[in-house]
């Protein structure tokens, strides 16, 4: 598949854009990354996603697919024979992955706090393996893991470690495994760079 057949409209700092980028990397699909400028919307974006006018948008053979989790599922289905399966094969596990992914999008920080309070939640989902999906990164890993860069920025800003190795060893190890995965590492924003970007889009209120 030539890279010109697959394009992704997005922005490097967006956690939602990270999702399809990770999925494409997991499936070893070459693609062209079309960067949007913060504060403006390109004609291509408005044409490709006229309903929500938001990133990310996947263009596959010039056909647009919108919404990050929907794009991830599309990538998993389209390149099913390449790389690991992103969605679980078991129908119940697949339904649960979709449920929690939707919950994360509605209240991602609340969802994270829920995982922290329910100490065995990750162990139950992962069945003792490195990722929520098992041995490989999957749907729920991508849905939650895309926020880790912004979580680090938050930790830096408040001088408080949310994912503490002593209090949440399993989840902390998952975060480390996720961030160091070859499919994730190239697209995970650097904390310092993201923190500087955050200062521009979230200026401190005047005294």
């Amino acid at each position: 598949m030539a890279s010109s057949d697959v394009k992704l409209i997005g922005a490097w700092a967006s956690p939602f854009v990270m999702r399809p980028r990770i999925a494409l990397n997991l499936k070893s699909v070459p693609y062209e990354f079309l960067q949007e400028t913060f504060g403006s919307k390109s004609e291509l974006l408005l044409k490709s996603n006229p309903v929500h006018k938001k990133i990310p948008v996947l263009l596959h053979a010039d056909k647009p697919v919108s919404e990050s989790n929907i794009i991830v599922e599309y990538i998993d289905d389209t390149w099913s024979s390449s790389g690991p399966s992103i969605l679980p094969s078991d129908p119940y596990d697949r339904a649960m992955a979709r449920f929690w992914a939707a919950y994360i999008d509605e209240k991602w920080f609340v969802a994270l706090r829920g995982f922290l309070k329910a100490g065995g939640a990750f162990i139950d989902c992962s069945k003792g393996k490195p990722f929520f999906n098992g041995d490989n990164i999957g749907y729920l890993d991508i849905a939650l893991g895309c926020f880790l860069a912004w979580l680090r920025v938050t930790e830096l800003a408040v001088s408080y470690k949310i994912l503490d190795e002593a209090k949440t060893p399993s989840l902390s190890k998952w975060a480390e495994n996720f961030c160091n995965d070859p499919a994730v590492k190239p697209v995970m924003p650097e904390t310092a760079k993201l923190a500087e970007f955050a200062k521009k889009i979230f200026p401190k209120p005047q005294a």
Side-chain angles (χ1 to χ4, degrees):
M1 178 74 64
S3 60
S4 59
D5 290 336
V6 183
K7 299 176 183 177
L8 183 67
I9 305 173
W12 68 271
S14 168
F16 300 102
V17 174
M18 270 193 70
R19 290 175 176 172
R21 295 186 77 185
I22 293 170
L24 289 166
N25 286 347
L26 284 170
K27 295 292 187 176
S28 299
V29 178
Y31 67 96
E32 182 180 354
F33 188 40
L34 305 177
Q35 286 258 27
E36 286 287 303
T37 301
F38 177 73
S40 64
K41 300 179 188 291
S42 67
E43 290 186 14
L44 180 60
L45 172 61
L46 297 175
K47 177 184 176 182
S48 302
N49 189 2
V51 177
H52 296 298
K53 303 178 177 64
K54 294 180 179 179
I55 54 174
V57 178
L58 180 76
L59 299 175
H60 183 204
D62 294 327
K63 294 180 179 178
V65 183
S66 304
E67 299 297 307
S68 62
N69 286 334
I70 293 174
I71 296 172
V72 169
E73 291 197 40
Y74 177 84
I75 292 168
D76 196 30
D77 289 339
T78 302
W79 291 278
S80 58
S81 61
S82 177
S85 294
I86 295 174
L87 274 163
S89 57
D90 180 79
Y92 179 79
D93 291 342
R94 192 161 58 243
M96 289 298 97
R98 287 178 173 135
F99 171 83
W100 284 114
Y103 182 67
I104 287 166
D105 278 359
E106 291 173 10
K107 300 177 180 179
W108 84 269
F109 196 74
V110 173
L112 177 62
R113 286 172 55 193
F115 279 121
L116 294 177
K117 288 180 180 178
F122 171 72
I123 296 174
D124 290 342
C125 290
S126 65
K127 299 178 176 65
K129 295 187 176 181
F131 300 104
F132 285 99
N133 193 49
D135 291 318
N136 302 298
I137 287 175
Y139 193 71
L140 187 51
D141 297 286
I142 294 172
L144 183 61
C146 71
F147 291 107
L148 286 173
W150 281 101
L151 180 65
R152 288 172 175 171
V153 171
T154 303
E155 290 177 333
L156 188 66
V158 300
S159 300
Y160 177 78
K161 195 152 181 71
I162 300 169
L163 284 182
D164 185 87
E165 293 178 7
K167 295 179 181 178
T168 57
S170 296
L171 204 55
S172 296
K173 186 62 178 176
W174 163 79
E176 181 183 348
N177 290 334
F178 181 85
C179 292
N180 288 326
D181 190 273
V184 176
K185 200 168 184 177
V187 300
M188 179 66 70
E190 296 177 8
T191 304
K193 183 180 178 182
L194 194 59
E196 285 300 312
F197 178 74
K199 290 178 182 177
K200 297 177 182 178
I201 62 173
F202 302 120
K204 290 183 179 180
Q206 296 295 322

